[in-house]
Amino acid sequence: MLSNLSKLSQTFQSQAKDYLNPFHNPKLLKQFFNFYPPYFGAGIRVDTLDFANHHIRVRLPLNKLNQNIVGTQFGGSLYSMTDPFLMILLMQALGNEYVVWDKSANIDFVKAGKSDVFADFHLDDTEIDTIKALAKAGKAVFRNYEVQVVDDQKEVVATVTKTLYIRLRAYSKSKTQTVRI
């Protein structure tokens, strides 16, 4: 009886740990980002976090905390709102067998952001399958992604180009990379 109770307790602890891990629970992860101090302070909000459809939507309302000296969106906040989300989508889609890192980024400011701005991050199943095929021999894979930050009129405010590094964990020097949320 004690053995069964111990197994039941371990099962419950495992399930609770998995449920309470924000990376496994999109609702908790969304709340984590929305209250993460650098994002909260800048006003960055995750509006949509949909791992099933490989989609995240982020919003940055224009306010006194993120305006630059001329009253438009601060460039650092525009970049910050795009920073981790492609990496997170890939980590979630590929699973723990893969290591994913942001390698480089570039931002091109197209026009002044004078209103709320938005960034949508999408991956499709074809892209995920392509990455798996390229990585299966153990080689490092570098993929480039472009994300547009648009205003409330759907006009491009900035274009962010990111390069991500992906590799099977068994071949990576980053074997211990874990989600620390």
Side-chain angles (χ1 to χ4, degrees), residues 13 15 32 41 48 103 108 110 114 122 157 168:
Q13 287 175 351
Q15 288 175 345
F32 169 82
T48 304
K103 173 96 171 88
D108 180 29
V110 176
K114 298 178 182 177
H122 295 277
V157 172
L168 278 167

Side-chain angles (χ1 to χ4, degrees), residues 79 82-84 86 102 104-105 143-145 160-164:
Y79 174 73
T82 68
D83 187 22
L86 284 166
D102 282 321
S104 65
R143 301 296 284 179
N144 295 317
Y145 300 96
V160 178
T161 305
K162 298 192 68 133
T163 301
L164 276 74

Side-chain angles (χ1 to χ4, degrees), residues 17-29 51 92:
K17 183 179 177 184
D18 199 43
Y19 177 77
L20 294 174
N21 179 344
F23 200 65
H24 295 138
N25 186 324
K27 288 180 183 178
L28 287 177
L29 186 59
F51 286 145
Q92 180 67 25

Side-chain angles (χ1 to χ4, degrees), residues 75-87:
S77 296
L78 291 172
Y79 174 73
S80 185
M81 73 182 289
T82 68
D83 187 22
F85 298 108
L86 284 166
M87 182 176 157

Side-chain angles (χ1 to χ4, degrees), residues 31-103:
Q31 291 305 314
F32 169 82
F33 280 120
N34 287 338
F35 290 102
Y36 182 55
Y39 288 161
F40 185 78
I44 297 167
R45 304 289 299 169
V46 174
D47 284 343
T48 304
L49 198 145
D50 182 359
F51 286 145
N53 292 304
H54 312 297
H55 174 240
I56 298 175
R57 181 177 177 91
V58 179
R59 173 175 42 97
L60 177 60
L62 181 62
N63 64 45
K64 295 289 184 195
L65 296 176
N66 59 29
Q67 287 180 353
N68 61 22
I69 197 166
V70 293
T72 61
Q73 291 283 7
F74 176 64
S77 296
L78 291 172
Y79 174 73
S80 185
M81 73 182 289
T82 68
D83 187 22
F85 298 108
L86 284 166
M87 182 176 157
I88 288 167
L89 280 176
L90 278 172
M91 290 173 75
Q92 180 67 25
L94 294 170
N96 208 28
E97 294 176 31
Y98 294 84
V99 170
V100 181
W101 290 103
D102 282 321
K103 173 96 171 88

Side-chain angles (χ1 to χ4, degrees), residues 132-141 165-168 170-172:
K132 288 179 178 180
L134 292 169
K136 73 179 179 182
K139 302 239 185 220
V141 175
Y165 160 93
I166 305 115
R167 194 168 202 174
L168 278 167
Y171 296 94
S172 174

